Amino acid sequence: MAGRYAHGSSDSIEMQVITTPSTDLALTNLAYCSHWDLRRFDLNRSGYALVSFRDSIVLTNVKVSVDDPIHVTRFVPPEDFNLALLTVDLDFVKAKGKSEEIDAVQLSQQLRKRCLYQVMTVGQRVLFEYHGTNYIFTVNQAVIEGQEESETFERGMISPETYIVFECSPNTGIKIVNQREAANSKIFKQKDFNLLSLGIGGLSAEFTDIFRRAFASRVFPAHVTNKLGIKHVKGMLLYGPPGTGKTLMARQIGKMLNGREPKIVNGPEVLSKFVGETEKNVRDLFADAENDQRTRGDQSDLHVIIFDEIDAICKSRGSTRDGTGVHDSIVNQLLTKIDGVESLNNVLLIGMTNRKDLLDEALLRPGRLEVQVEISLPDENGRLQILQIHTNKMKENSFLAPDVSLQELAARTKNYSGAELEGVVKSAVSFALNRQISLDDLTKPLHEENIKVTMDDFLNALHEITPAFGASTDNLERCRLNGMADCGGRHKHIYKRAMLLVEQVKVSKGSPLVTCLLEGPGGSGKTAMAATIGLDSDFAYVKIISAETMIGLSEASKCAQIVKVFEDAYKSQLSIIILDDIERLLEYVPIGPRFSNLISQTLMVLLKRLPPKGKNVLVIGTTSEVGFLESLGICDAFSVTYHVPTLHTEDAKKVLAALNVFSEDDIDAAAEALNNMPIKKLYMLVEMAAQGEKGGNSEAIYSGREKININHFFDCLGDIVSVYR
């Protein structure tokens, strides 16, 4: 990195080269001058004056002789000039003819202390003394803080946070030990992890757990872990819903470890149609690590192997019936390599899956994939970080409109995964770009400066991209097509009690699972009330399980679908599950009677199974056959049961008044006739009567221009009363 002159070339000072007063001074990487000359320069924090000569800051590289005149110029370093990483070639000043072992951690500490705030340039050769022996190192790489290692820099200043990595050719006779620990310290000894710069949002707590379990022991030198008598963690499993950042975190972990380039393989890629080829593919993944450990022992680099979709190849042994036994052989081969007789200590296997339940249990014990971290759906703060990551470039380039509130978007996007949030940003950008395109004339020039992604674009994107683990709003709205009418005090009382259960689930730490059964005659509004409770709860996950979505499925398939809804609910912090028409789910018929015992037992288990720690679930069931459920013992599985009644005369009058379809003189008579009528039947009867004797008047009636003829209403009531009473 080129420096800048303080006052231009006129600021240069002519000096003369003389011999060093002491040989010890020649090993300090400094040039010395009189106090009078030194006062003409600005001193840095260590009392050094930085000067440049022939556009070089390194005076030890200057080939001059005694009494030669030189012109030096004061050098003022830029703001971002501290070195994050310095890679050097190490050698003896004079060959000793024997090998020597040097601890990289201790040597880097000594050099950092001696050369603090000195400027190092690529190609520079520095003499120094260490434990009575003179060495020389040549700078190979200089990485500035906040920059990528792949970028090329000429120079930088050593700071207390600079980490030095040593390299040496085999013929030097120098053996570097604990080199991996010194290199890893570049990452792990930072004050904090800037996960946002790595593109990881909302996973700081998970990353802290991973670091403590898997990497803390790798920061210390090998002799420390040997004294503790422990082995490094060899494997970890990242599991959770799709799109939550498992693969992203694994890739970044592989990069941060500063070991070998991580091997990334998708589970299905390992499979082969040839006999024994699949097992060979697994062995090949570990071949480099085996050779490295065989030749270098404890000083071997860390080899990271990342298995994406590991459930594709590591299913429970004996669970597949393909007759080949390939999956069992893969699991056996993998277990042998991780924790067999000749187990490797220089390997970190990272597996990722969203189906942890499919994995062989032997793979999950300590010594194998022992660190198991759930990468769950991000909370509000995590969603804000993810949105900031994906909109950062927009903001930097002034494409983000001032009205965009990422905080509000984070609050609106409950149960969105990281991938779905990225989809929201892409969708919002597509709306903004579409405004600049004329479909009538695609050759019309586009103006980049007019592109602005507004808050409305993001709100439209939220309707377009819906979370896989979100509330089934459309299905819930279909359950109450007529809204939630005022049906009197009895229905209102049940609604208030149910909402108290919602609050209990939100705040209570002792009731992670609350269950409620709504029972009553068919059509009394049980499903509509359950749907209203789900919508008004504002919970992130609300799903309804009904028999209509399972038509034609076998009992086992129905059980699998029911279990999946509960498993998905456990991935959200607050969830509501509605079991609609439980008797229909159980395939109950009164003749016989006949029902599915398999589904019955599944529901009994799920209604009593506590969700994982930190997850709260409210289960609402509806039934018109409470006596049948009592005989099965299912009613006892619910914490509380509420009876949803039919309408009394006063209740029916309130509903009719809200509909405003009868005249004042007729509303009392109509309400009296509707006594003990379920509300669903009331709406159907009103719809029939609104058609008029000749039909076609319903629009005028619902708009208030006309009223239902009471006599025609009684005729319709007479047609159906025998059916519903």
Side-chain angles (χ1 to χ4, degrees), residues 133-151:
T133 304
N134 292 340
Y135 298 90
I136 186 170
F137 69 74
T138 305
V139 178
N140 288 337
Q141 184 186 28
V143 179
I144 302 296
E145 289 181 358
Q147 305 295 335
E148 296 290 337
E149 291 186 29
S150 57
E151 299 186 41

Side-chain angles (χ1 to χ4, degrees), residues 421-570:
L421 290 173
E422 183 181 6
V424 168
V425 176
K426 289 180 181 177
S427 177
V429 171
S430 71
F431 283 111
L433 295 178
N434 191 60
R435 285 198 299 273
Q436 308 302 320
I437 299 175
S438 174
L439 295 179
D440 298 331
D441 184 10
L442 294 177
T443 61
K444 183 179 179 180
L446 303 176
H447 301 287
E448 177 182 320
E449 61 276 6
N450 293 335
I451 300 175
K452 291 291 182 184
V453 184
T454 65
M455 190 65 177
D456 287 338
D457 295 330
F458 279 99
L459 296 180
N460 291 331
L462 292 181
H463 293 291
E464 192 170 74
I465 308 295
T466 56
F469 298 96
S472 302
T473 306
D474 293 340
N475 291 337
L476 296 174
E477 289 291 355
R478 288 181 63 248
C479 294
R480 51 168 212 171
L481 296 176
N482 298 294
M484 193 63 186
D486 182 3
C487 300
R490 295 178 301 166
H491 287 77
K492 189 177 295 183
H493 172 76
I494 296 172
Y495 173 78
K496 289 181 178 180
R497 290 296 183 184
M499 291 306 295
L500 287 178
L501 296 179
V502 171
E503 292 300 317
Q504 179 180 340
V505 171
K506 282 183 180 180
V507 302
S508 176
K509 295 182 180 179
S511 304
L513 175 65
V514 177
T515 54
C516 170
L517 179 63
L518 303 179
E519 62 88 8
S524 57
K526 302 179 297 297
T527 303
M529 182 173 291
T532 302
I533 294 168
L535 291 170
D536 293 351
S537 69
D538 200 29
F539 279 15
Y541 183 93
V542 183
K543 281 288 191 292
I544 182 168
I545 302 175
S546 62
E548 67 179 23
T549 61
M550 303 182 186
I551 297 175
L553 297 182
S554 64
E555 291 183 356
S557 298
K558 289 182 179 180
C559 288
Q561 283 204 15
I562 295 171
V563 171
K564 184 180 184 302
V565 172
F566 275 81
E567 293 290 345
D568 290 345
Y570 297 154

Side-chain angles (χ1 to χ4, degrees), residues 139-377:
V139 178
N140 288 337
Q141 184 186 28
V143 179
I144 302 296
E145 289 181 358
Q147 305 295 335
E148 296 290 337
E149 291 186 29
S150 57
E151 299 186 41
T152 303
F153 299 93
E154 293 182 1
R155 58 177 70 103
M157 181 184 292
I158 292 181
S159 72
E161 302 299 328
T162 301
Y163 293 94
I164 305 172
V165 177
F166 300 96
E167 300 171 347
C168 55
S169 58
N171 57 8
T172 60
I174 300 176
K175 181 181 180 182
I176 302 294
V177 299
N178 295 333
Q179 175 63 77
R180 177 161 51 85
E181 284 77 8
N184 286 350
S185 297
K186 172 176 71 74
I187 295 297
F188 292 134
K189 288 188 178 179
Q190 292 182 3
K191 292 181 180 179
D192 54 7
F193 300 109
N194 188 5
L195 297 182
L196 291 180
S197 66
L198 298 173
I200 302 175
L203 296 175
S204 57
E206 290 84 351
F207 193 87
T208 301
D209 288 341
I210 291 173
F211 173 76
R212 176 180 58 82
R213 293 289 308 279
F215 303 136
S217 64
R218 297 184 183 274
V219 175
F220 291 90
H223 69 272
V224 176
T225 54
N226 290 336
K227 290 179 181 179
L228 290 170
I230 61 172
K231 293 182 179 180
H232 297 307
V233 168
K234 300 174 185 176
M236 71 171 67
L237 179 69
L238 306 180
Y239 66 95
T244 51
K246 299 183 295 296
T247 304
L248 174 63
M249 176 170 278
R251 289 176 182 272
Q252 295 299 345
I253 288 172
K255 292 179 182 178
M256 292 175 66
L257 287 174
N258 199 36
R260 299 291 186 91
E261 185 71 19
K263 294 181 180 179
I264 303 174
V265 58
N266 289 320
E269 293 177 357
V270 177
L271 299 174
S272 174
K273 64 180 180 180
F274 298 107
V275 177
E277 191 68 22
T278 301
E279 293 85 342
K280 181 179 180 298
N281 292 339
V282 174
R283 291 194 297 271
D284 290 344
L285 292 173
F286 293 86
D288 292 340
E290 289 176 337
N291 295 332
D292 203 9
Q293 181 164 294
R294 193 178 299 115
T295 56
R296 300 178 60 189
D298 289 340
Q299 304 309 315
S300 167
D301 289 335
L302 179 64
H303 295 254
V304 181
I305 302 174
I306 299 174
F307 267 102
D308 202 2
E309 305 297 343
I310 194 173
D311 55 280
I313 62 172
C314 291
K315 290 184 173 67
S316 295
R317 286 170 287 185
S319 62
T320 57
R321 296 180 175 85
D322 56 5
T324 63
V326 171
H327 285 87
D328 293 358
S329 299
I330 296 174
V331 176
N332 294 334
Q333 185 69 76
L334 198 58
L335 294 178
T336 302
K337 288 299 178 184
I338 300 175
D339 194 28
V341 177
E342 297 180 359
S343 61
L344 302 172
N345 202 35
N346 61 343
V347 166
L348 179 64
L349 179 67
I350 304 177
M352 291 165 291
T353 181
N354 47 41
R355 291 299 305 275
K356 180 185 175 184
D357 56 299
L358 296 180
L359 297 180
D360 191 278
E361 59 182 12
L363 198 65
L364 304 179
R365 74 155 175 81
R368 293 163 183 174
L369 299 184
E370 61 180 286
V371 178
Q372 298 158 27
V373 180
E374 181 180 7
I375 309 298
S376 56
L377 296 170

